[in-house]
Amino acid sequence: MCVSESPHGSSDAGWVVDEGRLEELIVEARTALPFELPALAVRCASALGLGTASLYLVDLQQRLLIPLDEVLDALPVDGSTAGWAYRTLSPRVAAADDGLVVWLPLVDGSERLGVLGVGVASLEEVSLRRGRMLADLLAMLITSKRAYSDWLAARSRTAAMQLPAEMLRAFLPPHTVGSSKCVSTAVLEPAYDIAGDAFDHSVVKNVLHTMILDSMGHDLNAGLTTSVAMAAARNARRGGGDLADVVGSVDQALAQWLPDQFCTGVLCRLDAETGVLRWVNCGHPPPLLIRGERVLAGVLDSPPQPPIGLAGPLAPVARQVHETVLEPGDCVLLYTDGVVEARDADGAEFGLARFTDFIIRSNAAGQRPAEVLRLLIHAVLDYQRDQLRDDVTILLFEWRPQFR
């Protein structure tokens, strides 16, 4: 190899990367099986003049960082150096027996996947740059392979998945999507027993589409209802339908295939160029608009409309689409009623005021939207002692054209 290594296996600016070996490893990565990624990461790190490399993926509830190397122990997201890198999307350095470990976030687009730990002898810009390059490469590999890998899915779980949740999770998008002008992030619980709740979001050119659903019941039928609703919405959206078309397609699909089932929901369409927000509320709690450090009460309220999927005389003649214009930095919050109806041991509800205050305070503290919701869903779970009476789903999107 052409890489000169210190006793710690790290490099400095004067050392040369073995480009031929690195190219071989990248070609190898195309067909590498997911369980082979830890060893591949080590070989890539060596070719880059770095030391050891360790891959960790976050678990479904974002409490633990699970190693892909099965002989290693999990690390807590809260209270560890690796977790700090995950939470803040910033490198973090820790002492190791033979030098230093730099923890780097693994990110695919806007989605946090986990962390990469690489060994270095000392902190130098070239080592950090190569570490970031390796983290970016591995994040893309993980994303491409987890779409078909049961092993990667199983590694991110800490409990048995119930069948309705397994079905519904097959339809869910990444927790976070976005562009330079907008970001949408969502969480849902109970992670392994979800049935009727779901979220969806997608960026199409400069338009952000978001949706939150809450189906009747908490069983396989509820999960099937939500899954059909999501499929119908995507089908209409991908066919070029506008917001009214999308809602109409979901109404028709449920009425045709599951005539005894229905769901409530909110569907939104944000033009990230102009800030124009259009939305339809179908029997669901109204969206909340957060501007600065306060909730603008009632701004996104609208006259009540029937739930989605009602057939016969109960079916709506036409859906009303509402419109407003956001200001830069505005956040829109969608949620299911399980959030505010969570109760403590004395029967007191978590409540809307506590819910919105948590988000406002976290935003003011500089937390990123995905981290705000991670902390919030854990607060809701803690409030109810991890015994949720209903599914809880939260989606938060932000318009930020100033970040161009």
Side-chain angles (χ1 to χ4, degrees), residues 131-172:
R132 286 193 293 265
M133 290 169 54
L134 182 57
D136 288 342
L137 171 63
L138 291 169
M140 288 187 286
L141 283 174
I142 290 167
T143 299
S144 67
K145 295 177 186 298
R146 69 176 179 174
Y148 61 82
S149 170
D150 287 344
W151 184 80
L152 280 174
R155 285 301 291 165
S156 65
R157 298 179 181 183
T158 60
M161 181 76 68
Q162 300 302 307
L163 180 57
E166 190 76 66
M167 179 178 65
L168 199 52
R169 283 195 174 277
F171 281 87
L172 291 180

mmCIF file of all heavy atoms in Angstrom, residues 131-172:
data_model
loop_
_atom_site.group_PDB
_atom_site.id
_atom_site.type_symbol
_atom_site.label_atom_id
_atom_site.label_comp_id
_atom_site.label_asym_id
_atom_site.label_seq_id
_atom_site.Cartn_x
_atom_site.Cartn_y
_atom_site.Cartn_z
ATOM 1 N N GLY A 131 -12.427 11.341 7.107
ATOM 2 C CA GLY A 131 -13.463 10.701 7.923
ATOM 3 C C GLY A 131 -14.858 11.069 7.463
ATOM 4 O O GLY A 131 -15.748 10.207 7.395
ATOM 5 N N ARG A 132 -15.053 12.347 7.136
ATOM 6 C CA ARG A 132 -16.369 12.782 6.639
ATOM 7 C C ARG A 132 -16.689 12.129 5.301
ATOM 8 O O ARG A 132 -17.836 11.740 5.043
ATOM 9 C CB ARG A 132 -16.405 14.310 6.527
ATOM 10 C CG ARG A 132 -16.499 15.025 7.871
ATOM 11 C CD ARG A 132 -16.839 16.493 7.678
ATOM 12 N NE ARG A 132 -15.747 17.207 7.034
ATOM 13 C CZ ARG A 132 -14.795 17.880 7.685
ATOM 14 N NH1 ARG A 132 -14.811 17.914 9.013
ATOM 15 N NH2 ARG A 132 -13.845 18.511 7.034
ATOM 16 N N MET A 133 -15.679 12.011 4.431
ATOM 17 C CA MET A 133 -15.888 11.347 3.146
ATOM 18 C C MET A 133 -16.316 9.897 3.355
ATOM 19 O O MET A 133 -17.242 9.399 2.685
ATOM 20 C CB MET A 133 -14.603 11.394 2.314
ATOM 21 C CG MET A 133 -14.231 12.775 1.790
ATOM 22 S SD MET A 133 -12.556 12.822 1.099
ATOM 23 C CE MET A 133 -12.630 11.490 -0.085
ATOM 24 N N LEU A 134 -15.642 9.214 4.278
ATOM 25 C CA LEU A 134 -15.982 7.821 4.540
ATOM 26 C C LEU A 134 -17.387 7.706 5.127
ATOM 27 O O LEU A 134 -18.158 6.807 4.761
ATOM 28 C CB LEU A 134 -14.958 7.212 5.491
ATOM 29 C CG LEU A 134 -15.148 5.732 5.844
ATOM 30 C CD1 LEU A 134 -15.173 4.875 4.583
ATOM 31 C CD2 LEU A 134 -14.048 5.268 6.796
ATOM 32 N N ALA A 135 -17.740 8.608 6.027
ATOM 33 C CA ALA A 135 -19.087 8.598 6.616
ATOM 34 C C ALA A 135 -20.146 8.796 5.538
ATOM 35 O O ALA A 135 -21.193 8.129 5.543
ATOM 36 C CB ALA A 135 -19.199 9.667 7.695
ATOM 37 N N ASP A 136 -19.903 9.709 4.604
ATOM 38 C CA ASP A 136 -20.859 9.951 3.522
ATOM 39 C C ASP A 136 -21.008 8.717 2.634
ATOM 40 O O ASP A 136 -22.120 8.347 2.233
ATOM 41 C CB ASP A 136 -20.424 11.149 2.679
ATOM 42 C CG ASP A 136 -20.596 12.471 3.403
ATOM 43 O OD1 ASP A 136 -21.350 12.509 4.391
ATOM 44 O OD2 ASP A 136 -19.973 13.466 2.985
ATOM 45 N N LEU A 137 -19.892 8.077 2.321
ATOM 46 C CA LEU A 137 -19.933 6.869 1.493
ATOM 47 C C LEU A 137 -20.715 5.755 2.188
ATOM 48 O O LEU A 137 -21.580 5.111 1.593
ATOM 49 C CB LEU A 137 -18.512 6.400 1.185
ATOM 50 C CG LEU A 137 -18.378 5.032 0.498
ATOM 51 C CD1 LEU A 137 -19.043 5.054 -0.875
ATOM 52 C CD2 LEU A 137 -16.917 4.612 0.394
ATOM 53 N N LEU A 138 -20.428 5.546 3.465
ATOM 54 C CA LEU A 138 -21.093 4.471 4.192
ATOM 55 C C LEU A 138 -22.577 4.750 4.390
ATOM 56 O O LEU A 138 -23.399 3.826 4.380
ATOM 57 C CB LEU A 138 -20.392 4.261 5.530
ATOM 58 C CG LEU A 138 -18.981 3.664 5.424
ATOM 59 C CD1 LEU A 138 -18.255 3.747 6.759
ATOM 60 C CD2 LEU A 138 -19.029 2.218 4.925
ATOM 61 N N ALA A 139 -22.930 6.019 4.568
ATOM 62 C CA ALA A 139 -24.351 6.372 4.701
ATOM 63 C C ALA A 139 -25.108 6.013 3.426
ATOM 64 O O ALA A 139 -26.230 5.473 3.481
ATOM 65 C CB ALA A 139 -24.503 7.856 5.019
ATOM 66 N N MET A 140 -24.507 6.285 2.274
ATOM 67 C CA MET A 140 -25.162 5.926 1.013
ATOM 68 C C MET A 140 -25.262 4.413 0.848
ATOM 69 O O MET A 140 -26.273 3.891 0.368
ATOM 70 C CB MET A 140 -24.399 6.546 -0.164
ATOM 71 C CG MET A 140 -24.570 8.057 -0.276
ATOM 72 S SD MET A 140 -23.851 8.757 -1.774
ATOM 73 C CE MET A 140 -22.099 8.678 -1.384
ATOM 74 N N LEU A 141 -24.223 3.699 1.265
ATOM 75 C CA LEU A 141 -24.260 2.243 1.172
ATOM 76 C C LEU A 141 -25.360 1.664 2.062
ATOM 77 O O LEU A 141 -26.119 0.784 1.646
ATOM 78 C CB LEU A 141 -22.905 1.658 1.589
ATOM 79 C CG LEU A 141 -21.773 1.741 0.568
ATOM 80 C CD1 LEU A 141 -20.470 1.249 1.189
ATOM 81 C CD2 LEU A 141 -22.117 0.908 -0.667
ATOM 82 N N ILE A 142 -25.440 2.148 3.289
ATOM 83 C CA ILE A 142 -26.456 1.652 4.217
ATOM 84 C C ILE A 142 -27.849 1.923 3.671
ATOM 85 O O ILE A 142 -28.739 1.059 3.699
ATOM 86 C CB ILE A 142 -26.262 2.288 5.604
ATOM 87 C CG1 ILE A 142 -24.985 1.739 6.255
ATOM 88 C CG2 ILE A 142 -27.470 2.037 6.494
ATOM 89 C CD1 ILE A 142 -24.539 2.507 7.475
ATOM 90 N N THR A 143 -28.063 3.139 3.153
ATOM 91 C CA THR A 143 -29.371 3.493 2.622
ATOM 92 C C THR A 143 -29.748 2.612 1.439
ATOM 93 O O THR A 143 -30.896 2.148 1.333
ATOM 94 C CB THR A 143 -29.379 4.967 2.192
ATOM 95 O OG1 THR A 143 -29.113 5.789 3.338
ATOM 96 C CG2 THR A 143 -30.727 5.363 1.610
ATOM 97 N N SER A 144 -28.802 2.343 0.558
ATOM 98 C CA SER A 144 -29.105 1.537 -0.628
ATOM 99 C C SER A 144 -29.384 0.081 -0.257
ATOM 100 O O SER A 144 -30.204 -0.582 -0.900
ATOM 101 C CB SER A 144 -27.953 1.609 -1.630
ATOM 102 O OG SER A 144 -26.791 0.971 -1.120
ATOM 103 N N LYS A 145 -28.725 -0.427 0.786
ATOM 104 C CA LYS A 145 -28.838 -1.841 1.122
ATOM 105 C C LYS A 145 -29.952 -2.130 2.125
ATOM 106 O O LYS A 145 -30.478 -3.252 2.157
ATOM 107 C CB LYS A 145 -27.498 -2.366 1.655
ATOM 108 C CG LYS A 145 -26.394 -2.333 0.600
ATOM 109 C CD LYS A 145 -25.063 -2.785 1.140
ATOM 110 C CE LYS A 145 -23.967 -2.608 0.097
ATOM 111 N NZ LYS A 145 -24.176 -3.416 -1.106
ATOM 112 N N ARG A 146 -30.341 -1.159 2.920
ATOM 113 C CA ARG A 146 -31.362 -1.462 3.919
ATOM 114 C C ARG A 146 -32.756 -1.610 3.294
ATOM 115 O O ARG A 146 -33.663 -2.136 3.927
ATOM 116 C CB ARG A 146 -31.397 -0.398 5.016
ATOM 117 C CG ARG A 146 -31.901 0.968 4.619
ATOM 118 C CD ARG A 146 -31.959 1.869 5.838
ATOM 119 N NE ARG A 146 -32.428 3.206 5.493
ATOM 120 C CZ ARG A 146 -32.674 4.164 6.385
ATOM 121 N NH1 ARG A 146 -32.502 3.925 7.673
ATOM 122 N NH2 ARG A 146 -33.093 5.346 6.000
ATOM 123 N N ALA A 147 -32.910 -1.163 2.037
ATOM 124 C CA ALA A 147 -34.204 -1.316 1.369
ATOM 125 C C ALA A 147 -34.543 -2.787 1.139
ATOM 126 O O ALA A 147 -35.716 -3.137 1.012
ATOM 127 C CB ALA A 147 -34.202 -0.564 0.040
ATOM 128 N N TYR A 148 -33.510 -3.645 1.089
ATOM 129 C CA TYR A 148 -33.777 -5.062 0.825
ATOM 130 C C TYR A 148 -33.166 -5.976 1.882
ATOM 131 O O TYR A 148 -33.158 -7.201 1.715
ATOM 132 C CB TYR A 148 -33.240 -5.463 -0.554
ATOM 133 C CG TYR A 148 -31.747 -5.302 -0.735
ATOM 134 C CD1 TYR A 148 -30.866 -6.271 -0.274
ATOM 135 C CD2 TYR A 148 -31.221 -4.190 -1.366
ATOM 136 C CE1 TYR A 148 -29.501 -6.131 -0.439
ATOM 137 C CE2 TYR A 148 -29.857 -4.042 -1.536
ATOM 138 C CZ TYR A 148 -28.991 -5.010 -1.070
ATOM 139 O OH TYR A 148 -27.632 -4.861 -1.227
ATOM 140 N N SER A 149 -32.664 -5.416 2.974
ATOM 141 C CA SER A 149 -31.959 -6.230 3.947
ATOM 142 C C SER A 149 -32.761 -6.418 5.234
ATOM 143 O O SER A 149 -32.945 -5.474 6.000
ATOM 144 C CB SER A 149 -30.600 -5.600 4.291
ATOM 145 O OG SER A 149 -30.015 -6.268 5.391
ATOM 146 N N ASP A 150 -33.224 -7.634 5.474
ATOM 147 C CA ASP A 150 -33.858 -7.931 6.746
ATOM 148 C C ASP A 150 -32.857 -7.838 7.897
ATOM 149 O O ASP A 150 -33.231 -7.539 9.032
ATOM 150 C CB ASP A 150 -34.474 -9.340 6.718
ATOM 151 C CG ASP A 150 -35.732 -9.398 5.876
ATOM 152 O OD1 ASP A 150 -36.298 -8.323 5.577
ATOM 153 O OD2 ASP A 150 -36.147 -10.504 5.513
ATOM 154 N N TRP A 151 -31.600 -8.121 7.591
ATOM 155 C CA TRP A 151 -30.581 -8.083 8.654
ATOM 156 C C TRP A 151 -30.428 -6.679 9.206
ATOM 157 O O TRP A 151 -30.381 -6.480 10.422
ATOM 158 C CB TRP A 151 -29.239 -8.588 8.117
ATOM 159 C CG TRP A 151 -28.174 -8.675 9.185
ATOM 160 C CD1 TRP A 151 -28.027 -9.675 10.104
ATOM 161 C CD2 TRP A 151 -27.131 -7.723 9.432
ATOM 162 N NE1 TRP A 151 -26.951 -9.405 10.924
ATOM 163 C CE2 TRP A 151 -26.381 -8.222 10.529
ATOM 164 C CE3 TRP A 151 -26.760 -6.525 8.846
ATOM 165 C CZ2 TRP A 151 -25.275 -7.537 11.041
ATOM 166 C CZ3 TRP A 151 -25.655 -5.836 9.356
ATOM 167 C CH2 TRP A 151 -24.927 -6.341 10.437
ATOM 168 N N LEU A 152 -30.353 -5.681 8.338
ATOM 169 C CA LEU A 152 -30.233 -4.299 8.807
ATOM 170 C C LEU A 152 -31.480 -3.877 9.569
ATOM 171 O O LEU A 152 -31.398 -3.184 10.592
ATOM 172 C CB LEU A 152 -29.991 -3.349 7.628
ATOM 173 C CG LEU A 152 -28.567 -3.284 7.102
ATOM 174 C CD1 LEU A 152 -28.510 -2.410 5.845
ATOM 175 C CD2 LEU A 152 -27.608 -2.759 8.146
ATOM 176 N N ALA A 153 -32.653 -4.281 9.089
ATOM 177 C CA ALA A 153 -33.887 -3.955 9.792
ATOM 178 C C ALA A 153 -33.888 -4.573 11.183
ATOM 179 O O ALA A 153 -34.263 -3.933 12.172
ATOM 180 C CB ALA A 153 -35.090 -4.433 8.987
ATOM 181 N N ALA A 154 -33.459 -5.829 11.271
ATOM 182 C CA ALA A 154 -33.449 -6.509 12.566
ATOM 183 C C ALA A 154 -32.442 -5.880 13.523
ATOM 184 O O ALA A 154 -32.696 -5.803 14.735
ATOM 185 C CB ALA A 154 -33.136 -7.996 12.366
ATOM 186 N N ARG A 155 -31.307 -5.426 13.005
ATOM 187 C CA ARG A 155 -30.283 -4.833 13.877
ATOM 188 C C ARG A 155 -30.785 -3.558 14.539
ATOM 189 O O ARG A 155 -30.311 -3.184 15.623
ATOM 190 C CB ARG A 155 -29.010 -4.515 13.093
ATOM 191 C CG ARG A 155 -28.163 -5.690 12.728
ATOM 192 C CD ARG A 155 -27.694 -6.472 13.925
ATOM 193 N NE ARG A 155 -26.721 -5.767 14.745
ATOM 194 C CZ ARG A 155 -26.380 -6.112 15.976
ATOM 195 N NH1 ARG A 155 -26.975 -7.140 16.548
ATOM 196 N NH2 ARG A 155 -25.476 -5.433 16.647
ATOM 197 N N SER A 156 -31.729 -2.866 13.924
ATOM 198 C CA SER A 156 -32.191 -1.592 14.488
ATOM 199 C C SER A 156 -33.356 -1.777 15.464
ATOM 200 O O SER A 156 -33.900 -0.792 15.959
ATOM 201 C CB SER A 156 -32.614 -0.646 13.366
ATOM 202 O OG SER A 156 -33.740 -1.147 12.672
ATOM 203 N N ARG A 157 -33.732 -3.037 15.744
ATOM 204 C CA ARG A 157 -34.858 -3.299 16.638
ATOM 205 C C ARG A 157 -34.375 -3.804 17.987
ATOM 206 O O ARG A 157 -33.392 -4.547 18.074
ATOM 207 C CB ARG A 157 -35.808 -4.328 16.011
ATOM 208 C CG ARG A 157 -36.426 -3.844 14.710
ATOM 209 C CD ARG A 157 -37.342 -4.900 14.096
ATOM 210 N NE ARG A 157 -37.901 -4.419 12.824
ATOM 211 C CZ ARG A 157 -38.775 -5.076 12.089
ATOM 212 N NH1 ARG A 157 -39.209 -6.267 12.502
ATOM 213 N NH2 ARG A 157 -39.221 -4.568 10.964
ATOM 214 N N THR A 158 -35.112 -3.439 19.026
ATOM 215 C CA THR A 158 -34.794 -3.904 20.369
ATOM 216 C C THR A 158 -35.951 -4.699 20.974
ATOM 217 O O THR A 158 -35.892 -5.068 22.143
ATOM 218 C CB THR A 158 -34.456 -2.717 21.283
ATOM 219 O OG1 THR A 158 -35.581 -1.829 21.339
ATOM 220 C CG2 THR A 158 -33.240 -1.959 20.759
ATOM 221 N N ALA A 159 -37.005 -4.941 20.200
ATOM 222 C CA ALA A 159 -38.160 -5.707 20.666
ATOM 223 C C ALA A 159 -38.813 -6.377 19.461
ATOM 224 O O ALA A 159 -38.492 -6.061 18.311
ATOM 225 C CB ALA A 159 -39.164 -4.791 21.385
ATOM 226 N N ALA A 160 -39.737 -7.290 19.744
ATOM 227 C CA ALA A 160 -40.447 -7.973 18.662
ATOM 228 C C ALA A 160 -41.458 -7.030 18.018
ATOM 229 O O ALA A 160 -42.152 -6.280 18.702
ATOM 230 C CB ALA A 160 -41.166 -9.206 19.209
ATOM 231 N N MET A 161 -41.542 -7.074 16.692
ATOM 232 C CA MET A 161 -42.456 -6.226 15.940
ATOM 233 C C MET A 161 -43.791 -6.942 15.751
ATOM 234 O O MET A 161 -43.832 -8.080 15.287
ATOM 235 C CB MET A 161 -41.851 -5.883 14.580
ATOM 236 C CG MET A 161 -42.698 -4.985 13.700
ATOM 237 S SD MET A 161 -42.653 -3.258 14.230
ATOM 238 C CE MET A 161 -40.949 -2.821 13.870
ATOM 239 N N GLN A 162 -44.881 -6.272 16.094
ATOM 240 C CA GLN A 162 -46.205 -6.834 15.869
ATOM 241 C C GLN A 162 -46.567 -6.737 14.385
ATOM 242 O O GLN A 162 -46.097 -5.847 13.676
ATOM 243 C CB GLN A 162 -47.245 -6.109 16.725
ATOM 244 C CG GLN A 162 -46.983 -6.210 18.221
ATOM 245 C CD GLN A 162 -46.936 -7.645 18.699
ATOM 246 O OE1 GLN A 162 -47.858 -8.418 18.454
ATOM 247 N NE2 GLN A 162 -45.845 -8.013 19.378
ATOM 248 N N LEU A 163 -47.419 -7.646 13.923
ATOM 249 C CA LEU A 163 -47.733 -7.723 12.497
ATOM 250 C C LEU A 163 -48.311 -6.426 11.927
ATOM 251 O O LEU A 163 -47.872 -5.975 10.853
ATOM 252 C CB LEU A 163 -48.684 -8.888 12.229
ATOM 253 C CG LEU A 163 -49.093 -9.097 10.767
ATOM 254 C CD1 LEU A 163 -47.866 -9.300 9.884
ATOM 255 C CD2 LEU A 163 -50.039 -10.288 10.646
ATOM 256 N N PRO A 164 -49.303 -5.775 12.569
ATOM 257 C CA PRO A 164 -49.795 -4.506 11.996
ATOM 258 C C PRO A 164 -48.697 -3.472 11.833
ATOM 259 O O PRO A 164 -48.657 -2.742 10.836
ATOM 260 C CB PRO A 164 -50.860 -4.066 13.008
ATOM 261 C CG PRO A 164 -51.321 -5.321 13.657
ATOM 262 C CD PRO A 164 -50.093 -6.167 13.758
ATOM 263 N N ALA A 165 -47.793 -3.409 12.819
ATOM 264 C CA ALA A 165 -46.691 -2.450 12.732
ATOM 265 C C ALA A 165 -45.738 -2.821 11.599
ATOM 266 O O ALA A 165 -45.230 -1.946 10.880
ATOM 267 C CB ALA A 165 -45.947 -2.393 14.061
ATOM 268 N N GLU A 166 -45.479 -4.121 11.436
ATOM 269 C CA GLU A 166 -44.593 -4.566 10.352
ATOM 270 C C GLU A 166 -45.164 -4.142 9.001
ATOM 271 O O GLU A 166 -44.431 -3.652 8.125
ATOM 272 C CB GLU A 166 -44.438 -6.084 10.406
ATOM 273 C CG GLU A 166 -43.369 -6.634 9.486
ATOM 274 C CD GLU A 166 -41.972 -6.402 10.026
ATOM 275 O OE1 GLU A 166 -41.613 -6.971 11.055
ATOM 276 O OE2 GLU A 166 -41.221 -5.640 9.369
ATOM 277 N N MET A 167 -46.445 -4.325 8.805
ATOM 278 C CA MET A 167 -47.085 -3.962 7.545
ATOM 279 C C MET A 167 -47.019 -2.454 7.321
ATOM 280 O O MET A 167 -46.657 -1.988 6.235
ATOM 281 C CB MET A 167 -48.540 -4.421 7.537
ATOM 282 C CG MET A 167 -49.291 -4.052 6.260
ATOM 283 S SD MET A 167 -50.994 -4.654 6.269
ATOM 284 C CE MET A 167 -51.699 -3.695 7.609
ATOM 285 N N LEU A 168 -47.359 -1.704 8.348
ATOM 286 C CA LEU A 168 -47.420 -0.261 8.193
ATOM 287 C C LEU A 168 -46.040 0.342 7.965
ATOM 288 O O LEU A 168 -45.866 1.244 7.139
ATOM 289 C CB LEU A 168 -48.069 0.364 9.427
ATOM 290 C CG LEU A 168 -48.614 1.781 9.288
ATOM 291 C CD1 LEU A 168 -49.542 1.894 8.093
ATOM 292 C CD2 LEU A 168 -49.337 2.178 10.563
ATOM 293 N N ARG A 169 -45.043 -0.167 8.675
ATOM 294 C CA ARG A 169 -43.690 0.375 8.525
ATOM 295 C C ARG A 169 -43.126 0.136 7.132
ATOM 296 O O ARG A 169 -42.244 0.867 6.689
ATOM 297 C CB ARG A 169 -42.758 -0.206 9.587
ATOM 298 C CG ARG A 169 -42.968 0.429 10.953
ATOM 299 C CD ARG A 169 -41.837 0.145 11.922
ATOM 300 N NE ARG A 169 -42.018 0.893 13.156
ATOM 301 C CZ ARG A 169 -41.652 2.148 13.330
ATOM 302 N NH1 ARG A 169 -41.092 2.806 12.325
ATOM 303 N NH2 ARG A 169 -41.845 2.759 14.481
ATOM 304 N N ALA A 170 -43.625 -0.878 6.448
ATOM 305 C CA ALA A 170 -43.176 -1.115 5.078
ATOM 306 C C ALA A 170 -43.558 0.042 4.162
ATOM 307 O O ALA A 170 -42.933 0.239 3.104
ATOM 308 C CB ALA A 170 -43.768 -2.421 4.553
ATOM 309 N N PHE A 171 -44.582 0.823 4.544
ATOM 310 C CA PHE A 171 -45.039 1.940 3.726
ATOM 311 C C PHE A 171 -44.419 3.280 4.145
ATOM 312 O O PHE A 171 -44.514 4.252 3.403
ATOM 313 C CB PHE A 171 -46.567 2.071 3.821
ATOM 314 C CG PHE A 171 -47.312 1.094 2.963
ATOM 315 C CD1 PHE A 171 -47.631 -0.170 3.440
ATOM 316 C CD2 PHE A 171 -47.687 1.422 1.677
ATOM 317 C CE1 PHE A 171 -48.321 -1.087 2.656
ATOM 318 C CE2 PHE A 171 -48.370 0.516 0.878
ATOM 319 C CZ PHE A 171 -48.691 -0.748 1.374
ATOM 320 N N LEU A 172 -43.825 3.333 5.328
ATOM 321 C CA LEU A 172 -43.378 4.626 5.838
ATOM 322 C C LEU A 172 -42.140 5.129 5.103
ATOM 323 O O LEU A 172 -41.235 4.350 4.782
ATOM 324 C CB LEU A 172 -43.078 4.532 7.332
ATOM 325 C CG LEU A 172 -44.269 4.322 8.259
ATOM 326 C CD1 LEU A 172 -43.789 4.242 9.698
ATOM 327 C CD2 LEU A 172 -45.293 5.442 8.101
#
